Amino acid sequence: MYRHYLNSDTPIELFKMSCGSPYVDKTLMIRDLSKRINTNNRYICVTRPRRFGKTMIAHMLASYFAKGYETKELFEGLNISKVSECEKQRNQHQVMYIAFNRSNHYEIKLC
């Protein structure tokens, strides 16, 4: 069983949490993917070894491209904010978020 959401804020919230911790800025991947939009090379597969950031990359991409949200502030100060040609793509696309895992997620707050 899987869950899916169209233009969900789930990836945005998860990417925000990731940016608050030590984060390796891989936002220039957005520049490379933006060049592929509306081309025959628009399909990509992000493969990395286990625990190397595939989910983080997916959250970053969904946060940048998803319609219905304004995420300019979220990307301020990151590498992609210096690439002006990508601005026209930010928050302009339908993004489907699909969670294939079957485990429940629990949020733990430490006071």
Side-chain angles (χ1 to χ4, degrees):
M1 174 163 221
Y2 67 91
R3 299 169 295 174
H4 66 281
Y5 310 93
L6 184 62
N7 297 327
S8 168
D9 67 342
T10 300
I12 296 169
E13 293 304 317
L14 293 171
F15 184 62
K16 279 181 190 176
M17 288 188 332
S18 298
C19 287
S21 61
Y23 170 70
V24 176
D25 189 346
K26 296 181 181 180
T27 57
L28 288 180
M29 182 181 278
I30 295 167
R31 177 191 59 198
D32 299 334
L33 294 178
S34 291
K35 293 174 185 175
R36 293 173 168 234
I37 293 173
N38 295 324
T39 70
N40 288 333
N41 293 328
R42 66 186 174 270
Y43 302 105
I44 63 156
C45 179
V46 178
T47 59
R48 305 278 310 228
R50 186 170 177 237
R51 310 286 306 157
F52 271 78
K54 294 178 294 293
T55 302
M56 166 80 89
I57 290 169
H59 293 157
M60 174 194 65
L61 296 173
S63 297
Y64 195 83
F65 290 114
K67 261 186 176 183
Y69 301 95
E70 179 49 61
T71 58
K72 181 176 183 171
E73 189 175 297
L74 180 59
F75 288 91
E76 292 271 324
L78 297 176
N79 291 335
I80 196 63
S81 66
K82 299 172 186 114
V83 182
S84 60
E85 70 257 17
C86 292
E87 271 303 297
K88 64 184 177 202
Q89 301 293 340
R90 190 175 34 78
N91 304 123
Q92 298 298 310
H93 300 278
Q94 301 287 351
V95 173
M96 182 169 285
Y97 175 74
I98 303 173
F100 290 101
N101 60 351
R102 294 181 183 184
S103 63
N104 292 326
H105 294 277
Y106 298 96
E107 180 178 343
I108 300 171
K109 292 185 179 181
L110 302 175
C111 300

